[in-house]
Short mmCIF file of all heavy atoms in Angstrom, two decimals:
data_model
loop_
_atom_site.label_atom_id
_atom_site.label_comp_id
_atom_site.label_asym_id
_atom_site.label_seq_id
_atom_site.Cartn_x
_atom_site.Cartn_y
_atom_site.Cartn_z
N VAL A 87 125.47 168.54 19.16
CA VAL A 87 126.42 169.40 19.87
C VAL A 87 127.83 168.73 19.93
O VAL A 87 128.82 169.30 19.53
CB VAL A 87 125.90 169.74 21.25
CG1 VAL A 87 126.97 170.41 22.10
CG2 VAL A 87 124.69 170.65 21.14
N VAL A 272 132.00 181.09 26.50
CA VAL A 272 131.78 181.28 27.96
C VAL A 272 132.34 180.07 28.71
O VAL A 272 132.03 178.92 28.35
CB VAL A 272 130.26 181.45 28.27
CG1 VAL A 272 130.03 181.48 29.76
CG2 VAL A 272 129.74 182.75 27.63
N ILE A 306 130.62 179.60 37.61
CA ILE A 306 129.99 178.42 37.02
C ILE A 306 128.45 178.53 37.01
O ILE A 306 127.82 178.12 36.06
CB ILE A 306 130.50 177.12 37.70
CG1 ILE A 306 129.92 175.90 37.00
CG2 ILE A 306 130.21 177.13 39.20
CD1 ILE A 306 130.57 174.61 37.38
N ILE A 344 106.71 195.99 9.86
CA ILE A 344 106.90 196.39 11.27
C ILE A 344 108.28 195.90 11.76
O ILE A 344 109.07 196.65 12.34
CB ILE A 344 105.76 195.85 12.18
CG1 ILE A 344 104.51 196.63 11.86
CG2 ILE A 344 106.14 195.99 13.66
CD1 ILE A 344 103.29 196.16 12.54
N ASN A 555 149.59 187.08 20.48
CA ASN A 555 150.62 188.08 20.63
C ASN A 555 150.23 189.41 20.00
O ASN A 555 150.68 190.45 20.42
CB ASN A 555 151.95 187.58 20.02
CG ASN A 555 152.48 186.40 20.80
OD1 ASN A 555 152.05 186.20 21.92
ND2 ASN A 555 153.35 185.62 20.24
N SER A 599 124.44 162.94 4.97
CA SER A 599 125.23 163.96 4.37
C SER A 599 125.36 163.80 2.85
O SER A 599 126.41 163.78 2.29
CB SER A 599 126.63 163.91 5.03
OG SER A 599 127.42 164.87 4.57
N VAL A 623 97.47 178.85 -1.13
CA VAL A 623 98.81 178.66 -0.53
C VAL A 623 98.83 179.37 0.77
O VAL A 623 98.42 180.56 0.92
CB VAL A 623 99.91 179.25 -1.47
CG1 VAL A 623 101.30 179.16 -0.77
CG2 VAL A 623 99.98 178.52 -2.79
#
Side-chain angles (χ1 to χ4, degrees):
V87 169
V272 172
I306 184 167
I344 290 175
N555 295 343
S599 184
V623 175

